[in-house]
Amino acid sequence: MPTFISPQQRKAWKALSTLPGATSTNLRTLLAEKDRQAKLQISAAGITLDYSHQRVNEDVMGHLLALAKESHVMEQALAMFQGKTINQTENRAVLHVALRGSHIQDPPWGSAISALIAAELLRVCLFAEKVRSGALAGFSQLPITDIVNLGIGGSDLGPRMTTSALVNQSQPPNGHPVKVHFVSNVDAWSLHNTLQNLNPAQTAFVVQSKSFTTQETMTLLASAKQWLMDGTCPKDQLHRHLIAVTASPDIALANGFKAEHLFEFWDWVGGRYSIWSAIGLPLAIAIGSYGFQELLAGARAMDEHFLDAPSEKNMPLLMALIGIWNTNFLGASTHLIAPYAAALNQFASFLQQMEMESNGKSTHIDGSSVAIQTAPLVWGSLGIDGQHAYFQLIHQGTHLVPIDFIGLREEHTPLPLAAEHHRVVMLNMQAQAQALAIGRTQEETLNVLLQSGLTAEEAKRLAPHRSFSGNIPSSSVWMDALTPRTLGALIALYEHKVFCQAAIWGIHAYDQWGVELGKTIAKEIESRP
Ligand code: F6P
């Protein structure tokens, strides 16, 4: 095991720390550079990353790329794809990438794993089509029309986000409409709010839990069973309405699930990386098995780009390095995800778990404590709504908030004036990136106020309140259009970005020991007399 070198000891990190003027880069100056936007754009797998509005120049990018090289990021990536035990605190491989298949004939993880994955994917697709065709019947022999996903964290956020984004993109065969609902919270209101309008005879529950021990999900399962029986489902017919997706099949079988309604994934798939596995079943039911395989294909295309593209043109690596620049050198402690596509209304919540549960760590892989910032606070919501809620703070507050804007090149919503809606949305996304970068000085504001007819005295009084510092960095991530394939690529883009940052920070991204203490104390409290 080579001696661990903390990131701040690396030559490139030291160079970045002492680069004259690097942290005082000004976007007004940078954006005046000829062809900057064309130079700082990369396209792959239906995604385009425009990082021209980031506070980086050639020197900074050069040292960041050197940092990636010094940190052996791509060698570590290969180890992941080869199924090496990189999750060292749980002694597991990390092979969510295998779930979406490989562009390489002989995949690095080996044919045995590929065969295991293919067999389960086939079962998932066949079952999804069975439900969509109306062939899944409940205790009363009526077809199942409503699927309720019970799960939390990675057993909810991925299926919920992708289904929410793509559900309108597919029509069920023979017009059999199956609706997919999601309940994650153990608060009774959540389950009641969903079930109150459903018919037990035509409702089935997909119970998603890698461990099949999560208290919230198990409580929801018990409640769902009671609801079915209160709806006249005989106890020995409950299994018709229960589907399990888990890495703990024995526990599920002991809970009354039948083998034909049990779908497996494996311990080398982290919950927050599991949408590609049978955890994607609700999505496959919602959009069809073809759409689900398109999602996998999009991620596979991004995997190919990540493994094959040179570092200076490697989208996930560059996003990772820019994030490190903003967090560790410009001092930003948060990172805003602002989709300008309402279908991505769950994307920020999904990324919160992926980024903050992966890289919200303060211990290096060698057990030493970090002396640098690691994952920033990732937050966000739809950008258009954010403009009318919290963008004030970003423009004129005291926090530096780097932003990922996410937009669609094409809009396909079947509304007569969809093109006009899209024009307004895109106009705002571009205007915000520009306004945050360029700002407006007090002198410029004074002139604007004078030209608006204010007296010199009034303009002078108001100018400080109506000026903008600017120099706030952002990236624009463009999807050609919102399809299962481009959404798969987008998710994989962020997965690999998270990987690269962990590799450079020297932290473990695939365990989550931080969630254990709360659970332990809850059990202690529960056991008290
Ligand atoms: O407690 C955190 C966590 O373990 C997440 O990592 C996981 O996605 C979620 O809980 C749900 O776990 P399970 O799928 O085992 O129910």
Side-chain angles (χ1 to χ4, degrees), residues 90-282:
E90 295 181 301
N91 295 319
R92 292 172 180 170
V94 173
L95 272 175
H96 51 277
V97 291
L99 294 166
R100 55 245 196 173
S102 169
H103 60 289
I104 304 168
Q105 186 58 33
D106 297 325
W109 47 79
S111 54
I113 282 184
S114 289
L116 200 59
I117 289 167
E120 206 60 16
L121 174 60
L122 178 60
R123 294 188 65 234
V124 165
C125 291
L126 290 174
F127 186 79
E129 294 307 331
K130 178 178 179 181
V131 175
R132 286 167 61 81
S133 69
L136 181 67
F139 69 90
S140 68
Q141 298 314 313
L142 287 173
I144 296 297
T145 58
D146 288 90
I147 293 287
V148 180
N149 188 87
L150 303 180
I152 195 163
S155 296
D156 165 76
L157 290 164
R160 183 192 292 258
M161 181 273 290
T162 51
T163 301
S164 165
L166 298 170
V167 67
N168 297 330
Q169 298 214 7
S170 74
Q171 296 311 320
N174 61 41
H176 179 81
V178 176
K179 289 191 183 63
V180 179
H181 314 265
F182 291 87
V183 179
S184 58
N185 201 294
V186 71
D187 180 298
W189 182 89
S190 306
L191 188 60
H192 172 70
N193 190 49
T194 295
L195 297 185
Q196 62 180 339
N197 303 316
L198 303 184
N199 173 1
Q202 295 191 270
T203 298
F205 294 89
V206 175
V207 184
Q208 307 237 64
S209 178
K210 182 174 179 180
S211 60
F212 234 77
T213 58
T214 301
Q215 185 179 32
E216 295 91 336
T217 306
M218 295 304 111
T219 306
L220 287 168
L221 170 56
S223 207
K225 284 179 177 177
Q226 191 57 54
W227 179 76
L228 287 167
M229 289 187 286
D230 292 351
T232 72
C233 176
K235 190 166 184 177
D236 66 359
Q237 295 296 302
L238 281 173
H239 64 85
R240 291 172 174 275
H241 298 257
L242 297 174
I243 297 105
V245 179
T246 183
S248 312
D250 295 347
I251 303 177
L253 292 169
N255 266 278
F257 291 80
K258 300 291 184 198
E260 64 270 23
H261 277 190
L262 193 154
F263 299 89
E264 281 191 70
F265 62 109
W266 302 277
D267 70 4
W268 32 264
V269 180
R272 51 194 177 274
Y273 298 93
S274 61
I275 183 59
W276 323 106
S277 72
I279 289 283
L281 176 62

Side-chain angles (χ1 to χ4, degrees), residues 172-501:
N174 61 41
H176 179 81
V178 176
K179 289 191 183 63
V180 179
H181 314 265
F182 291 87
V183 179
S184 58
N185 201 294
V186 71
D187 180 298
W189 182 89
S190 306
L191 188 60
H192 172 70
N193 190 49
T194 295
L195 297 185
Q196 62 180 339
N197 303 316
L198 303 184
N199 173 1
Q202 295 191 270
T203 298
F205 294 89
V206 175
V207 184
Q208 307 237 64
S209 178
K210 182 174 179 180
S211 60
F212 234 77
T213 58
T214 301
Q215 185 179 32
E216 295 91 336
T217 306
M218 295 304 111
T219 306
L220 287 168
L221 170 56
S223 207
K225 284 179 177 177
Q226 191 57 54
W227 179 76
L228 287 167
M229 289 187 286
D230 292 351
T232 72
C233 176
K235 190 166 184 177
D236 66 359
Q237 295 296 302
L238 281 173
H239 64 85
R240 291 172 174 275
H241 298 257
L242 297 174
I243 297 105
V245 179
T246 183
S248 312
D250 295 347
I251 303 177
L253 292 169
N255 266 278
F257 291 80
K258 300 291 184 198
E260 64 270 23
H261 277 190
L262 193 154
F263 299 89
E264 281 191 70
F265 62 109
W266 302 277
D267 70 4
W268 32 264
V269 180
R272 51 194 177 274
Y273 298 93
S274 61
I275 183 59
W276 323 106
S277 72
I279 289 283
L281 176 62
L283 173 66
I285 292 169
I287 69 171
S289 55
Y290 175 75
F292 182 58
Q293 293 177 78
E294 277 290 287
L295 184 93
L296 301 179
R300 189 166 60 241
M302 185 54 75
D303 291 346
E304 180 174 358
H305 167 76
F306 178 49
L307 289 175
D308 295 353
S311 293
E312 68 279 4
K313 287 290 180 193
N314 193 307
M315 207 183 295
L317 179 60
L318 289 178
M319 278 183 93
L321 292 171
I322 288 162
I324 283 176
W325 176 247
N326 289 336
T327 300
N328 297 103
F329 297 92
L330 298 186
S333 57
T334 87
H335 180 196
L336 171 61
I337 304 295
Y340 275 69
L344 293 175
N345 58 75
Q346 301 286 324
F347 193 69
S349 299
F350 168 73
L351 271 193
Q352 273 189 323
Q353 187 197 15
M354 186 205 288
E355 298 223 24
M356 296 169 75
E357 196 167 78
S358 296
N359 289 347
K361 310 287 172 64
S362 55
T363 303
H364 283 306
I365 55 175
D366 71 337
S368 63
S369 294
V370 301
I372 50 144
Q373 293 297 321
T374 53
L377 290 163
V378 175
W379 61 291
S381 66
L382 295 178
I384 288 284
D385 301 90
Q387 288 174 214
H388 300 270
Y390 50 75
F391 270 53
Q392 162 61 44
L393 178 143
I394 301 166
H395 280 285
Q396 293 189 324
T398 58
H399 298 270
L400 176 66
V401 182
I403 302 176
D404 282 5
F405 291 105
I406 300 173
L408 307 182
R409 294 270 193 223
E410 286 177 22
E411 163 64 78
H412 295 309
T413 301
L415 261 185
L417 294 182
E420 175 58 10
H421 289 262
H422 188 230
R423 187 188 67 80
V424 172
V425 170
M426 290 300 102
L427 173 69
N428 275 279
M429 177 173 145
Q430 289 157 326
Q432 288 299 322
Q434 194 69 357
L436 289 163
I438 300 297
R440 190 172 69 189
T441 65
Q442 283 210 31
E443 189 184 348
E444 289 162 345
T445 302
L446 196 62
N447 289 334
V448 165
L449 296 179
L450 289 170
Q451 282 161 23
S452 72
L454 291 186
T455 64
E457 185 188 358
E458 194 61 352
K460 192 163 180 286
R461 183 175 72 83
L462 289 177
H465 303 282
R466 298 181 60 172
S467 301
F468 297 77
S469 64
N471 214 25
I472 296 157
S474 67
S475 288
S476 292
V477 180
W478 292 98
M479 302 171 79
D480 291 350
L482 180 60
T483 63
R485 189 177 280 254
T486 54
L487 185 55
L490 185 72
I491 297 168
L493 167 61
Y494 279 94
E495 286 183 345
H496 294 320
K497 173 209 135 172
V498 168
F499 172 88
C500 293
Q501 291 188 329

Side-chain angles (χ1 to χ4, degrees), residues 30-81:
L30 293 171
L31 288 170
E33 288 169 2
K34 190 171 178 308
D35 301 333
R36 180 179 174 85
Q37 193 157 32
K39 283 181 204 160
L40 302 188
Q41 272 199 35
I42 301 167
S43 293
I47 306 285
T48 295
L49 168 68
D50 172 356
Y51 62 102
S52 59
H53 287 60
Q54 289 289 346
R55 286 169 50 181
V56 293
N57 56 29
E58 279 188 22
D59 270 356
V60 170
M61 289 313 297
H63 289 298
L64 287 171
L65 286 163
L67 178 62
K69 191 172 173 59
E70 262 191 277
S71 308
H72 307 293
V73 173
M74 294 318 289
E75 293 89 331
Q76 293 188 57
L78 198 53
M80 170 172 71
F81 278 78

